[in-house]
Structure formats: C-alpha cells, structure tokens
Amino acid sequence: MIPPAFAYHRPASVSEATALLADLGEDARPLAGGHSLIPMMKLRLASPEHLVDLAGIATLKGISPDGSDIVIGAMTTQHELIASDLLAAKTPILRETALLIADPQVRYMGTVGGNVANGDPGNDLPAVMMCLGATYHVTGRNGERRIPARQFYRSAYVTALAPDEILTAVRIPVPPAGHGAAYEKLKRKVGDYATAAAAVVLTLNGDRIGTCSIGLTNVADTPLWAEEAGKIIAGSSLDGATVKRAIAAAEAITSPAADARGPVEYRTKMAGVMLARALTRAREHAR
Ligand SMILES: Cc1cc2nc3c(=O)[nH]c(=O)nc-3n(C[C@H](O)[C@H](O)[C@H](O)COP(=O)(O)OP(=O)(O)OC[C@H]3O[C@@H](n4cnc5c(N)ncnc54)[C@H](O)[C@@H]3O)c2cc1C
C-alpha cells in the first residue's frame, strides 16, 4: 500500500526541526526510522501532511557517558544499542531488550527515540526505560524540558510531548555495579510484539534483594512501572510466597486488550509468568 501524499522536510538542526513543527502545527510529524510511522500511514491510521525527517541532525546520534548517567541520542538506532560496548558493560538490559525487538532489518532503521516517543504500548523500550528510571530530554520552540519516563505515557499513542516538541535524548542513571537485570518477553514468533513482557533491575544485599524495579510491556494501554510489586520484592529472599504476592500486585495494575495475542486472562497471567522469570534471571545475573 502507498501512503497518502505528504511534504518532506529535512532540517539540519534541532532548532530548525522544532521551528518547522511549530509553524506547521498538528499536520506535521517528526520522522525517525519510519518503522512505525510509515506502516501507520500505509494503513491510513495516520495521515500527516508534513514529515519532518530528523535523520539529518547529527547531534541526535550517539551513546555517551555523562557523570553517573549514560545519554543516548534519539536517532541512535536499535542496532547501535546492541553494538555498544558501553551499554553491554553498564546496562546490559538495553542490549538484551533491543535483541528482542522485531528483526535486524527493523533494528537497523528503527531508533531509540522513535521507539520511546511512539506511545505504542507494544514497544519494548519504554517499560525498560521506566524500570531504569530514565529521563527523556525534550526540546520545543520554548526550550528544553526533562520528563521522567515514568510520567511520559498518558494512554495509547498519547504522551507528554507537545506537537512542536521532539525527544532529543534519553538519560539513564547507570545501575550500581553488581546489579542484575533481565527482560523476559513472550511473543508468538520471531519479530512479533509482546503478548506480555517484564523488565527487572535489582541489587543484592547479601543473600537478600536490596532494591527492585519492575516494568511491564503491552499489558495496558501504556507501558507500566510496577512500583508496588518492586517494593514487595525489595528486602526479600525471593522466596515463593513473596514472588506470588509481587505477581499479584503486578497483575492487579494490568488491563490488557483481548486480541490476536490472547484473551485478557491469558495476557494478565503471562505478565506474571514473565515477571517470575525475569526476577529469577536478574538475581542470577547479580550473583
Ligand atoms: C515488522 C515490525 C516489527 C516490529 N516489532 C517490534 C517489537 O517487537 N518491539 C518494538 O518495540 N517495536 C517493534 N517495531 C517498531 C520499531 O521498533 C520502530 O522502529 C519503533 O516503534 C519506532 O521507531 P522509528 O525510529 O522507526 O520511529 P518512526 O516510525 O519514524 O516514528 C514513530 C513515532 O514516533 C514519533 N517520533 C519519532 N522520533 C521522534 C522524536 N525524536 N521525537 C518526537 N517524536 C518522535 C513519530 O512522529 C511517530 O509518531 C516493529 C516494527 C515493524 C515494522
């Protein structure tokens, strides 16, 4: 299918891009890797009259340390997450998650910024960013603001971004050395979106869990940060009764849609199963 006609703009700087978005108004959309937006346009689920391509803005690329954080430019591709030695050493959950996104062809084009700004609850990186306590750098005509990932998602395809704003970077606090993390994703086949998925980042305190943060993918109309479930796990020995309570707390905040990936009850239970697996594997990594 061919998308409807649109005008193509290729700014060379963030200020040029935000000025274009502000001037063109709600008929304009940023274009990153195009691997969500172009399919939506082909299906007539989106029909922007103007596409503002961010590919010509060199400052939006790259992965670099900044004090105790790592900053990832919005136009960094999902493949580049996998190839980064810095991320492999400091936040391996990003590499693990990126490897579960679609297939190599999508990951060569699809960007980090596009994945987290899209607002599709099926995208894998948002729940991981919530789990890691990441912050999004956002720039619009009136300047820059920073939005915690945990406050960014409002409902399906609705985020805290204003129409004239672009997401320029994601800032991730590096988890402590010796932390353990895991992303468990149930999918029907290679390249599919999650039926349910869970991200866990934890630290150990002797034989017990020190801190624990949990994110859930595709089991509500937004990605979820399962704060209560993480609190239940923190301080425990990850014994069966505690894990059961945490699973119940996580399941309680889900509200998945019944679709081709399964009925509501199944997807809710699979969120719990993914969480149990992610907890076990994260603890193994920490050890
Ligand atoms: C076959 C297939 C399978 C897929 N499977 C998965 C999967 O399993 N898991 C997964 O997570 N994703 C999956 N995807 C989606 C893929 O990861 C996309 O690349 C991603 O969702 C969007 O990133 P993009 O760079 O392609 O953004 P685009 O498609 O260009 O943009 C997506 C949306 O975000 C907005 N946007 C993009 N960049 C910015 C920015 N910097 N600031 C503000 N707004 C911005 C655009 O305006 C648009 O609304 C799949 C895609 C395909 C085609």
Side-chain angles (χ1 to χ4, degrees):
M1 279 216 293
I2 297 172
F6 56 87
Y8 177 80
H9 307 264
R10 195 176 169 96
S13 67
V14 169
S15 55
E16 207 186 313
T18 54
L20 269 168
L21 288 171
D23 289 345
L24 296 168
E26 300 218 352
D27 291 331
R29 290 275 280 276
L31 174 69
H35 273 57
S36 287
L37 184 53
I38 302 295
M40 297 270 278
M41 290 169 66
K42 288 181 172 180
L43 292 168
R44 301 296 192 272
L45 295 173
S47 43
E49 289 173 16
H50 299 269
L51 290 186
V52 177
D53 191 352
L54 307 179
I57 308 177
T59 54
L60 293 180
K61 275 224 159 253
I63 304 172
S64 51
D66 183 17
S68 57
D69 298 337
I70 292 176
V71 178
I72 304 176
M75 290 299 285
T76 304
T77 63
Q78 296 152 13
H79 170 75
E80 286 163 339
L81 292 185
I82 296 167
S84 164
D85 291 339
L86 178 67
L87 295 183
K90 302 287 187 188
T91 54
I93 192 173
L94 287 174
R95 179 173 194 278
E96 181 181 336
T97 305
L99 277 166
L100 293 171
I101 296 175
D103 51 48
Q105 283 143 311
V106 171
R107 299 193 298 253
Y108 282 130
M109 291 300 293
T111 65
V112 173
N115 197 286
V116 301
N118 192 27
D120 181 341
N123 282 134
D124 288 295
L125 289 174
V128 177
M129 296 306 179
M130 293 167 102
C131 183
L132 285 163
T135 301
Y136 299 157
H137 294 208
V138 166
T139 300
R141 183 144 62 177
N142 296 326
E144 189 192 274
R145 59 192 183 114
R146 295 188 180 191
I147 309 172
R150 291 171 191 169
Q151 294 168 19
F152 186 76
Y153 300 96
R154 304 273 162 87
S155 61
Y157 297 101
V158 180
T159 69
L161 275 179
D164 71 309
E165 287 180 320
I166 62 170
L167 191 146
T168 56
V170 177
R171 175 175 292 272
I172 297 159
V174 175
H179 79 278
Y183 188 65
E184 284 285 342
K185 174 175 175 178
L186 177 67
K187 48 188 177 172
R188 295 170 302 178
K189 58 182 174 59
V190 171
D192 195 16
Y193 289 89
T195 299
V200 168
V201 176
L202 56 75
T203 58
L204 291 185
N205 185 4
D207 274 349
R208 303 187 88 80
I209 307 296
T211 59
C212 180
S213 180
I214 296 167
L216 301 172
T217 297
N218 220 12
V219 284
D221 65 352
T222 65
L224 298 171
W225 182 50
E227 184 176 12
E228 187 55 33
K231 280 185 185 158
I232 290 169
I233 294 294
S236 78
S237 59
L238 214 57
D239 55 284
T242 305
V243 171
K244 252 188 174 171
R245 278 203 299 129
I247 286 174
E251 288 180 359
I253 61 168
T254 65
S255 51
D259 62 13
R261 292 182 180 83
V264 170
E265 296 77 6
Y266 173 70
R267 296 186 63 190
T268 304
K269 285 296 162 204
M270 288 308 105
V273 172
M274 293 303 107
L275 174 55
R277 289 182 189 172
L279 285 166
T280 305
R281 216 154 50 74
R283 181 172 60 174
E284 279 164 16
H285 289 170
R287 279 175 171 162

